[in-house]
Amino acid sequence: MITVVTADKAGSLKIGDNAYQLLQFHFHTPSEEAIHGKRTDMVIHLVHQNSQGELAVVALLLKTGDTTNPFIETLWNVMPKTPGKPEQHDVQIDINRLLPTGKNHYYTFAGSLTTPPCSEGVKWLVLKQMGTISPKQLAQYHEVYTENARPLQPLNGRQVLSSN
Ligand SMILES: [Zn+2]
């Protein structure tokens, strides 16, 4: 079960000259990405689409830290208590409050969506700078949602590029 948040005009992304609009974002625990072989506690996937219908996913890894994440707090306050039951809430969220300052530093590779329809041709950007989530916030999430990360996938000769 995946918590998907669809948001209206919550953000946009520019890769080169290509403009993408944020479609939705969702969470996985633990992270589906491993940097130097290590997964983190959670990852947020921000799914974007450009006018040609091409997808780009920004992955923000979260590790547990001492501070409460205010962006997560806003969402968790309205998190459905039953998985799979969509709810509509009127809350103000600003993706820029979530993303780290160093968002121009990322690993990038071509891949697919990790959940059905697992579409190919998706541009992935894994941010190098991680965010934090408090242990309490992580526990709140696990009260409702089970672990849902896909096993690590072999690279199959794909190249992972680093922005710098
Ligand atoms: Zn995902």
Side-chain angles (χ1 to χ4, degrees):
M1 187 58 56
I2 302 185
T3 343
V4 177
V5 181
T6 46
D8 233 18
K9 302 188 188 87
S12 59
L13 172 73
K14 244 186 157 186
I15 308 171
D17 290 332
N18 232 321
Y20 292 80
Q21 292 300 317
L22 180 67
L23 286 185
Q24 50 105 319
F25 57 93
H26 57 265
F27 307 86
H28 296 277
T29 52
S31 72
E32 295 192 314
E33 295 78 5
I35 293 184
H36 305 304
K38 284 190 97 166
R39 290 184 185 227
T40 63
D41 301 296
M42 182 175 266
V43 65
I44 306 182
H45 285 163
L46 301 132
V47 183
H48 296 77
Q49 192 173 41
N50 67 10
S51 54
Q52 281 89 55
E54 294 162 333
L55 297 173
V57 182
V58 174
L60 173 66
L61 294 155
L62 300 179
K63 56 183 176 187
T64 38
D66 296 333
T67 46
T68 300
N69 183 319
F71 183 88
I72 297 273
E73 199 67 8
T74 306
L75 291 176
W76 272 208
N77 284 338
V78 295
M79 179 165 65
K81 298 286 175 273
T82 319
K85 276 200 177 165
E87 291 179 14
Q88 199 166 354
H89 295 280
D90 198 15
V91 289
Q92 290 279 339
I93 49 168
D94 179 4
I95 295 296
N96 290 314
R97 271 177 63 213
L98 171 72
L99 296 175
T101 46
K103 62 186 170 211
N104 293 324
H105 306 294
Y106 51 80
Y107 298 101
T108 183
F109 55 93
S112 62
L113 294 181
T114 63
T115 48
C118 297
S119 326
E120 289 280 342
V122 179
K123 193 184 222 341
W124 281 86
L125 301 111
V126 180
L127 300 180
K128 290 186 181 180
Q129 198 176 328
M130 296 181 191
T132 55
I133 182 169
S134 73
K136 186 174 164 238
Q137 289 179 318
L138 198 62
Q140 280 175 319
Y141 183 84
H142 281 137
E143 276 171 24
V144 182
Y145 300 98
T146 49
E147 299 207 339
N148 65 0
R150 189 167 87 144
L152 290 182
Q153 300 297 309
L155 280 170
N156 292 330
R158 281 179 299 175
Q159 243 189 329
V160 177
L161 302 176
S162 178
S163 68
N164 47 32

